[in-house]
Amino acid sequence: MNGKPRRILLESTCTLDTSFTTGIQRVVRSVIAQAIVLSEQAGAECVPVVFRKDRFYDAREAWRRQLHNRDRRCRSLLHRLSREIDRLPPAVAELYSAGRIRLRKLLYPRTLMRTLTNAAWQWSAEPVSFRDTDILLLLDETWRVPMWAEVERARSRGCCVGAVVYDLIPIDHPHCFQDGFVALFSQGLETLLQHSDFFLPISHTVADRLRVHIEAMLPGDRDRRESVVPFRLGVADVTDVPGGSVRSSLRRCFDRDSGSAPYLCVGTLEPRKNHRYLLDAFEIVWNRCPRARLAVVGRIGWKCRDILQRVRRHPRFGSSLFLFTDLNDAELFSCYRQAKAVVACSIDEGFGLPIVDGLQHGLPVFASDIPVHREIGSDACEYFDLTEPHWLARRVIEMEQRDSAEWIHLPKGSHLVTWRESTEELLGKALFMRANL
């Protein structure tokens, strides 16, 4: 380690290969954007890397590569097509949703694109030569990438390996996922435990759950349990308005002149997000407060056909009930800026970004009463029980009958962690763990 510059290599394979900007992808993009700027201050050079076929490659220039840009344009055609779904009759929209996977395979053949991408990286990119001063920080969806032989090669050269852990939800709630994914995730987590030196969960709730899992899988491994150190995720500055256009249908939905501002629910359409509970609650609300409006925002996920049909066939769809499955960053920002309140009904989360986004925009937040929501929202949210929908419905009805300004907001002078601060904490803890192993 004599005089060699320290590097933190940020694995970001899956995020660089997708146009998604929510959840894990949002974290990865935000951290990498900040880490590159913070390299000098952090005391280590921060280098985003990706895994291609059998090697890691320097990805600092990845977004400028011609092949990658073309790859994104292929997917952007699907994105533009999906934007039109809001204008289609419900029956046609359901037909599109059912066939979207086949359409994606036609317009974006993954196997072919993966082969071309791997060839391009091998031809023109710089492979990573690991040093004994390096930290390889697995920041992305590690269970999807067959990189473990190369990870072990890095460790054999003295590289320290850390992993960001987002949640253990597929293990705790397997019924919310497809069977194949549960097996993939479970195996991926076990492999991660074997090949990593330390772990950085995104909340104390996830950290506690990971320690329990380690004890169950590796009884008596105290060192492994003590290598779990959480860090805090960040939130974007409300003054940093994303570029991009806002579609007319979204502007009409959030136009206060056309009626009451809608309640906003943000999250992928999948069972864990609990949209069924949300709709059941608003059925009660609409019986008492017919002017109340609800906007559901999130990409189409899995096991959600019944929810899609229920929303699109609802008699209030398009008037009091709205669905947007493909918003860009500017549109999502617009939603938070103009919503009446944020509603988060999840049965489990690793963190809960919509909660901090809502608080950052000065909105009241209604959140399901689960441990991680209590950790993240503290006393700044209104919590409701998930046993019966009327618990949420009662709070929404109360808000409809009172001025929203009277409801709990983030206290004045309170500070939410920024992405810069989050990244500083992540890098600092990675360096600390490396120094103390």
Side-chain angles (χ1 to χ4, degrees):
M1 297 176 63
N2 297 332
K4 295 179 183 177
R6 294 189 297 180
R7 296 186 303 180
I8 300 179
L9 308 173
L10 301 162
E11 188 276 318
S12 53
T13 306
C14 292
T15 295
L16 286 179
D17 287 343
T18 184
S19 57
F20 296 153
T21 58
T22 58
I24 292 176
Q25 294 79 29
R26 178 178 168 192
V27 175
V28 173
R29 294 181 197 281
S30 299
V31 167
I32 287 179
Q34 294 295 331
I36 293 174
V37 175
L38 290 170
S39 278
E40 184 175 343
Q41 178 181 325
E45 183 182 16
C46 298
V47 181
V49 300
V50 296
F51 183 79
R52 300 297 183 201
K53 194 174 181 179
D54 57 2
R55 296 290 301 275
F56 283 100
Y57 291 88
D58 187 323
R60 280 176 287 192
E61 301 299 322
W63 298 110
R64 301 176 186 175
R65 299 180 64 88
Q66 182 180 0
L67 178 59
H68 182 75
N69 289 336
R70 186 177 301 142
D71 173 19
R72 286 177 62 86
R73 285 197 296 271
C74 289
R75 286 193 295 267
S76 72
L77 177 56
L78 276 176
H79 181 75
R80 289 195 300 272
L81 286 173
S82 64
R83 285 176 68 104
E84 299 302 316
I85 200 169
D86 299 323
R87 304 177 184 177
L88 298 176
V92 179
E94 290 168 16
L95 182 63
Y96 168 80
S97 297
R100 67 189 177 90
I101 295 179
R102 292 186 179 181
L103 184 62
R104 176 194 58 74
K105 290 180 178 179
L106 175 64
L107 296 176
Y108 178 63
R110 281 186 176 175
T111 302
L112 174 60
M113 295 305 298
R114 186 182 301 116
T115 300
L116 293 174
T117 300
N118 287 341
W121 282 89
Q122 292 170 348
W123 177 261
S124 60
E126 183 71 26
V128 174
S129 296
F130 291 103
R131 311 167 186 163
D132 59 6
T133 54
D134 287 341
I135 299 173
L136 175 59
L137 187 56
L138 306 178
L139 184 61
D140 215 329
E141 296 176 298
T142 54
W143 58 90
R144 298 188 185 277
V145 184
M147 59 184 171
W148 300 109
E150 184 67 359
V151 169
E152 274 308 299
R153 192 170 74 89
R155 294 180 80 191
S156 70
R157 295 188 175 188
C159 176
C160 180
V161 177
V164 172
V165 180
Y166 291 91
D167 60 64
L168 281 74
I169 296 173
I171 294 174
D172 294 335
H173 304 279
H175 63 283
C176 291
F177 300 86
Q178 297 165 324
D179 292 339
F181 178 78
V182 174
L184 176 68
F185 181 89
S186 299
Q187 181 58 51
L189 181 59
E190 303 318 309
T191 305
L192 188 73
L193 293 179
Q194 296 171 18
H195 296 284
S196 301
D197 300 300
F198 64 90
F199 309 91
L200 299 170
I202 61 173
S203 64
H204 287 280
T205 303
V206 175
D208 292 342
R209 178 65 186 88
L210 180 60
R211 293 188 188 102
V212 170
H213 185 77
I214 291 173
E215 177 60 27
M217 300 305 298
L218 304 168
D221 192 339
R222 180 178 177 181
D223 290 342
R224 188 72 66 178
R225 291 198 309 275
E226 291 181 350
S227 66
V228 176
V229 180
F231 77 106
R232 301 167 297 171
L233 295 188
V235 63
D237 192 329
V238 294
T239 62
D240 184 16
V241 182
S245 61
V246 178
R247 71 193 73 178
S248 59
S249 58
L250 187 69
R251 289 198 299 269
R252 288 194 298 270
C253 170
F254 283 84
D255 182 4
R256 292 178 181 268
D257 293 336
S258 62
S260 175
Y263 294 83
L264 176 63
C265 177
V266 177
T268 300
L269 298 176
E270 47 110 339
R272 175 175 59 91
K273 298 298 185 179
N274 215 5
H275 292 92
R276 183 177 291 107
Y277 177 101
L278 173 71
L279 294 174
D280 288 346
F282 268 81
E283 296 289 4
I284 300 171
V285 171
W286 285 320
N287 285 333
R288 292 278 303 275
C289 306
R291 288 175 54 82
R293 305 164 84 211
L294 171 65
V296 178
V297 171
R299 65 184 178 88
I300 297 173
W302 51 93
K303 291 188 174 183
C304 63
R305 181 174 296 183
D306 58 333
I307 293 298
L308 286 170
Q309 291 180 345
R310 181 174 174 182
V311 170
R312 290 172 177 152
R313 295 179 181 180
H314 198 283
R316 290 182 175 273
F317 184 55
S319 59
S320 302
L321 174 61
F322 306 88
L323 173 65
F324 300 96
T325 62
D326 60 343
L327 298 190
N328 60 39
D329 289 344
E331 290 173 323
L332 184 58
F333 183 91
S334 178
C335 290
Y336 280 111
R337 188 172 56 191
Q338 301 182 72
K340 186 167 190 175
V342 168
V343 183
C345 298
S346 298
I347 64 174
D348 202 355
E349 288 285 354
F351 185 79
L353 285 171
I355 289 180
V356 293
D357 284 336
L359 294 175
Q360 179 77 335
H361 282 79
L363 296 174
V365 175
F366 298 101
S368 53
D369 196 357
I370 58 177
V372 72
H373 282 173
R374 287 281 185 176
E375 175 188 342
I376 303 306
S378 188
D379 296 330
C381 299
E382 294 276 353
Y383 298 97
F384 56 87
D385 196 297
L386 285 176
T387 55
E388 293 291 340
H390 72 79
W391 291 108
L392 170 59
R394 184 172 66 182
R395 283 161 174 75
V396 174
I397 291 170
E398 289 174 355
M399 171 166 273
E400 287 296 296
Q401 295 173 343
R402 292 164 49 190
D403 187 340
S404 61
E406 300 176 15
W407 286 79
I408 294 177
H409 294 71
L410 187 69
K412 288 185 177 180
S414 298
H415 174 73
L416 293 172
V417 176
T418 66
W419 279 116
R420 181 185 178 92
E421 293 167 337
S422 171
T423 305
E424 288 175 340
E425 184 177 342
L426 172 66
L427 299 178
K429 289 184 173 180
L431 290 168
F432 175 83
M433 296 301 293
R434 176 70 173 90
N436 288 275
L437 287 175

